[in-house]
């Protein structure tokens, strides 16, 4: 399916080794105790690693977070401290959970990341952004607030992930998401995760 050599994950139960992850990520996985990649992780890894756009229907509990965190960790240029990936999530709780998964799986990679959500910690988030990050995980309103104040650059961003996109639409974030998508270049990778594929989600994926 892809021009470059892809790892052999054709067997029925592939291992993390077979995905072709870096030794830093494999070490973190071993420490966390994940034995094998879950189905959504296997199915997403090669296309996401190749930079393709993805629409994934997947529920919380399926292992969907690591399904985008693993290929993203693989694609980051750790020598460049400009934001390269933006992950947009509906709630503070999910922001913390997704950010935690980046920190756990990326702990030996040199990953620098920030978790951004409303109601608290603007100055701390600002300082972290100024110090340089590879990945920004955040809720739409506060993310746009920092973006509009020029607190982070987007010229090096190569991927944007919308996680639990159906929840974001349900919570009234459509306008914010439209602004975020309109302000990021068409050429970047777009990954959308949603538990349901409602009419609103299909309209979003059409774009
Ligand atoms: P999620 O759907 O991303 O919220 O993940 C649900 C739970 O599955 C979380 O507690 C993860 O830590 C766990 N998990 C993710 N990937 C794996 C794996 N490959 N093996 C075992 N547990 C996992």
């Amino acid at each position: 399916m892809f021009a470059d050599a892809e790892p052999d994950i054709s067997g029925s139960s592939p291992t993390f080794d077979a995905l072709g992850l870096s030794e830093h990520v494999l070490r973190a996985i071993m420490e966390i105790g994940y034995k094998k990649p879950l189905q959504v992780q296997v199915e997403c890894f090669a296309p996401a690693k190749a930079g393709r756009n993805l629409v994934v229907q997947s529920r919380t509990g399926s292992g969907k977070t690591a399904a985008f965190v693993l290929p993203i960790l693989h694609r980051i240029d750790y020598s460049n401290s400009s934001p390269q990936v933006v992950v947009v999530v509906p709630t503070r709780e999910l922001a913390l959970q997704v950010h935690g998964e980046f920190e756990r799986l990326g702990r030996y990679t040199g990953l620098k990341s920030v978790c951004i959500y409303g109601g608290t910690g603007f100055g701390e988030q600002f300082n972290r952004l100024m110090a340089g990050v590879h990945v920004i995980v955040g809720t739409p309103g506060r993310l746009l607030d920092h973006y509009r104040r020029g607190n982070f650059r987007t010229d090096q961003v190569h991927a944007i992930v919308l996680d639990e996109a159906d929840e974001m639409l349900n919570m009234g974030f459509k306008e914010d998401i439209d602004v975020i998508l309109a302000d990021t270049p068409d050429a970047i990778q777009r990954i959308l995760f949603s538990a349901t594929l409602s009419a609103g989600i299909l309209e979003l994926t059409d774009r």
Side-chain angles (χ1 to χ4, degrees):
M1 191 156 120
F2 303 105
D4 54 338
E6 288 300 328
D8 178 14
I9 54 168
S10 53
S12 58
S13 185
T15 61
F16 281 113
D17 277 334
L19 292 181
L21 293 159
S22 74
E23 63 184 279
H24 305 296
V25 175
L26 285 174
R27 182 175 164 203
I29 287 173
M30 223 165 67
E31 281 184 14
I32 294 166
Y34 296 166
K35 300 279 180 265
K36 290 199 161 200
L38 301 174
Q39 187 186 354
V40 66
Q41 295 162 3
V42 174
E43 289 183 9
C44 290
F45 190 78
K49 183 183 140 196
R52 292 176 58 168
N53 291 337
L54 289 185
V55 177
V56 184
Q57 186 174 16
S58 194
R59 292 184 183 281
T60 298
S62 60
K64 68 178 175 63
T65 314
F68 60 82
V69 170
L70 290 172
I72 282 173
L73 288 175
H74 197 87
R75 296 193 71 214
I76 284 172
D77 171 4
Y78 293 95
S79 66
N80 173 1
S81 288
S82 291
Q84 295 168 48
V85 178
V86 176
V87 183
V88 193
V89 304
T91 63
R92 165 194 174 134
E93 290 68 30
L94 189 62
L96 288 165
Q97 188 190 316
V98 169
H99 183 251
E101 194 75 345
F102 270 108
E103 291 214 309
R104 288 200 310 161
L105 288 166
R107 72 171 69 135
Y108 298 118
T109 61
L111 177 74
K112 290 185 270 181
S113 59
V114 62
C115 186
I116 283 178
Y117 48 80
T120 177
F122 193 92
E124 213 175 295
Q125 295 163 10
F126 173 80
N127 290 339
R128 189 103 187 203
L129 286 166
M130 289 301 113
V133 293
H134 305 113
V135 172
I136 299 174
V137 180
T139 51
R142 179 61 70 91
L143 205 53
L144 274 181
D145 201 357
H146 279 289
Y147 174 63
R148 286 184 170 131
R149 289 166 191 243
N151 294 349
F152 64 90
R153 0 184 330 194
T154 53
D155 57 318
Q156 307 284 309
V157 172
H158 61 69
I160 181 158
V161 181
L162 303 181
D163 190 19
E164 300 200 357
D166 48 353
E167 276 303 308
M168 288 201 272
L169 295 186
N170 291 342
M171 291 172 71
F173 288 132
K174 181 168 185 319
E175 253 176 51
D176 289 346
I177 291 174
D178 283 345
V179 172
I180 291 167
L181 290 180
D183 277 14
T184 44
D186 281 347
I188 69 170
Q189 181 179 30
R190 287 148 190 252
I191 300 178
L192 180 146
F193 277 73
S194 184
T196 59
L197 294 183
S198 62
I201 292 295
L202 293 177
E203 188 199 324
L204 202 61
T205 58
D206 274 353
R207 298 181 42 215

